[in-house]
Structures are given as C-alpha cells and as structure tokens.
Amino acid sequence: MAETVLLLPGQGGYTPGIFAGESDPEVAEVLRVVDRVAGEFGHPGVSGLLTEPDAPGAAELVRTDSFALQLAVFAAGVGGFRLALRQYTPDLVVGHSMGEIAALTVAGAFDLADGARLVCHRSRALSAYCPEPGGMVALGLPAPRAAHLVGVADRPGLAVAVANAPRQTVVAGPEAALATVTALAAALEVPATRLNAPFPFHSPMLALAAEAFAGEIGDVRQRPLRLPVLSPVAGGSVDDGTDLKALLVRQLTAPVQFLAAVRDLHAAGARTFVECGRAGLSGLVRRTVPEVVTVTVTAGSAGSVGPVGTETGGVAAVAAVAVVPAQAVPVAAVAASVVPAPAVSASVVPSAVVPVAVVPVVEAAPVGVGVVLEELRELYAVTLGYPVEAITGEADLEADLGIDSLKRAEMLGKVTAHFGLHGSSDDVRFIAMPTLAELAELVVATLSTAR
C-alpha cells in the first residue's frame, strides 16, 4: 500500500530563489551537477535562478530562455525531493508533466547527470522542431467539457493536454487556436488562464520534436528503479521492464491524466501527498480527494501542512503561534487536522497531540511578505479555480485575472478569515489593492501592527 506519495512538479515548479539560503549539501550537489550538464550543452548554469530571490521569473524565462527554465524546473524538483526526505519516507513518487523526468531520476531510473541531460536534449528538440509558436491555457472545466469546447473551437493543433482536477483542465495548441478557445471560454463565463509554458506540451504539435528527442537519447542508460513510480501519462505504475525513455518521448504528445492518478492512488490507500516544491499540486490533490493530508516542502521549512479538507495552512493567529522558518503554521491547521511530524518518516499525528517541534507556543516571529504572498496565491487559485502559477504577485487582479469588485469583496472575506485580520480588513485599502504583491505587503503590515 502506497500511503505516502511524493509529487514532483512540472512547469509550475520554478520559483525564483526557491533555494535561497538553503545550505543542505544534497541540494548543493543537485545544483552543481545540473550546472555542469548545462555547460556540456554550451549553456550557462541555472543555479543562480534557484538561489537568488531576484532571479528572472517564469514569464520572463518563457520569452528569453526556455532552456534555462526547463532545467531549473528539473533541478527544483530533484532538490525539493531531497529536502522532503528529511521528513518523509516515500512509498511512491509521481511526476507531473515534465516532472516525470525528475520523478524517474529520484527513483533511480536515471542518475542525476543523465536526468539533466534528458531535460537538455528535450529542450533543444522543442526549440528546433516546434512548428509554430504556441502554449497552454487552463480552463475551469472538467476534462469532458473541455474536450467538447476544443471540438467546438475546431482549430488545428488544439488538444486537451492535462486533466488536473475535477474542474481544471489544460489545453494546448498554436497561438491562434488558444485565442479562439479563450474567446469561447469568455463567452461561456468559464475561467481561462494562459500558463507560463513555452511550448504546447502534450499535444500533436510536438510530434517532430518528440522524434528528434528520441534520436538524441539512445545512449542514456536506464537503471533499476529504487522506488515505485506511477506515471500519469502511462496511466499506471512503471517498472524495470518499461522502456522509460520511450515513455518520456511519448509524453511530449500524450495527455497527462493527473486527476485519474490521484484518484487511483487514493483508492489504493494513499493518504499523505507531499509536494516537492510549490507549484500548486497540493491544491489539485485537495480538490480531487479533499480528505487527505497534503504537504508542501520548500527550502528552509518544515513543510506547509494542508489540513484535511481545507486549503494549505496559513499564518492566521500569528500572535499565538511561532512561524516555522520560511513557512507559517496556523492554529486552525493544528486544531482541525492531522499534522505530519517532522522527525518521523511518513507518519501523521492526531490533532489532539501537537508536537512541540511543529508548533512551539512562543512569542510570535515576524511574518515575511514572501510567505504571505505565496499563501495568497494558493488561496486565490483554489477559490477561483485558477492554476497557482497563473496567480503572480504582479498580475493585475482585474485587468489580468478578471476579478471584478464583487469577487474582490468575496475574496476579502476569505483573506480576512485565513490570516485572522478580523476588523482590520475594513480598511478600504484591502479591497483597493490592484495586485497580490501589494495586498501581501498590507497584510504583513497589519499583522505586525496587531502584534
């Protein structure tokens, strides 16, 4: 029975400076090897993207350096996995989209350098053989309805690419086709969000790139698996008899059935899902099987615990609860859920027993803007049905995300409850803030004043 599942993110897995201040030698090794492999391909290293908080964001890298973005996603996933091993012993690993390369690497099918080489060959093939510009759009629809919308759009190259959650499906295709499906979605009042994806992944458009990719990786050695792996593209578990390189080639054009994978794992007994990074996979899991425990592991933290049936833990009641380094844990999360114990692999602790190492009751520590911003992003994404990577700190809530004044008022109530702001949010500035980055700064200032 696979009770504890570790999730390796795909495109949304890149966060600038995600390993800033992290001194773990395992993470340092990942960055060192990935930078060395980048040099083999005549490309600068990418470790700075993951260790410097002011590094370029995903949207900028989509435009300027998709090679670096793909390699950074891989390094972030593998590094996040190694951090997760501090606390959890995985029964099984799952990679989402390009995260399958990272998942197979951490499971032992490829050594670290060869995993990075697979990413580099894949990136080169995509840049050379994608026939025209394209990308991906997330729709707030179940997969069958999204497929119907794709049929109505009737544009060459447009395809359902990823079934993420009961009401989130991603479509991929050329720019003109994406414009058509986005217009149709708007007419039907269906949420539609452009993702930071440099190519139309998991679509027929990438057939030539897949063929070129296959031709470059023949010398990469497949090794025996050390951990069980489930592939959302293969539709089940893989083993040493599976041609895993052929699977990664097929993945470029085949859809990702993440929703089905999560349901299958839950039916088989999975109850704790640990996301190795911060790409929103935890939120997708909770929307699919809300009764499980989800955890987001990032550098310098003991993991952000997602209570059973609720959103990821926030920084509510900060005056009473100390902040775990780089990630706050709310009183509500402890009172209403089971909490993974940091020093015990793959275990959970009933809500009545609160390990002192998780939530020490001491004088409140300062809450950082970065922590609050990440929690706001996930809160808005979960509530509005957007992928978390679409909710950036700089996006204009109304112009870019379509959040009108009525929806802002509704979200303000959720923000107030999530952070324990109470009457402080009556300040008109809360509803007037145009971006989440500015709202995060106001929340931090308000919490600091309250202390």
Side-chain angles (χ1 to χ4, degrees), residues 93-153:
V93 295
V94 178
H96 184 283
S97 187
M98 199 195 82
E100 287 212 59
I101 299 179
L104 291 170
T105 298
V106 301
F110 307 107
D111 67 22
L112 178 58
D114 276 344
R117 291 183 184 105
L118 286 169
V119 174
C120 293
H121 283 303
R122 183 179 186 271
S123 297
R124 277 189 169 180
L126 287 165
S127 295
Y129 293 99
C130 186
E132 60 180 298
M136 308 180 83
V137 168
L139 301 172
L141 288 173
R145 292 185 61 193
H148 180 70
L149 193 62
V150 166
V152 171

Side-chain angles (χ1 to χ4, degrees), residues 326-421:
Q327 180 63 53
V329 181
V331 169
V334 177
S337 71
V338 291
V339 182
V344 183
S345 298
S347 64
V348 294
V349 179
S351 58
V353 182
V354 182
V356 175
V358 177
V359 189
V361 182
V362 298
E363 183 178 355
V367 182
V369 173
V371 171
V372 171
L373 176 58
E374 292 305 313
E375 300 219 5
L376 284 171
R377 289 178 63 210
E378 183 155 351
L379 179 62
Y380 273 66
V382 169
T383 303
L384 302 175
Y386 289 146
V388 71
E389 61 265 30
I391 311 291
T392 65
E394 296 72 30
D396 187 284
L397 295 177
E398 185 168 356
D400 296 329
L401 300 176
I403 303 174
D404 59 21
S405 57
L406 290 177
K407 182 61 71 173
R408 282 199 193 196
E410 176 187 339
M411 289 305 304
L412 179 57
K414 294 182 178 295
V415 170
T416 298
H418 188 77
F419 292 102
L421 297 174

Side-chain angles (χ1 to χ4, degrees), residues 34 80 111 138 151 170 185 202 285 301-302 376 447:
V34 168
D111 67 22
V170 179
H202 314 296
V285 170
S301 78
L376 284 171
L447 289 173

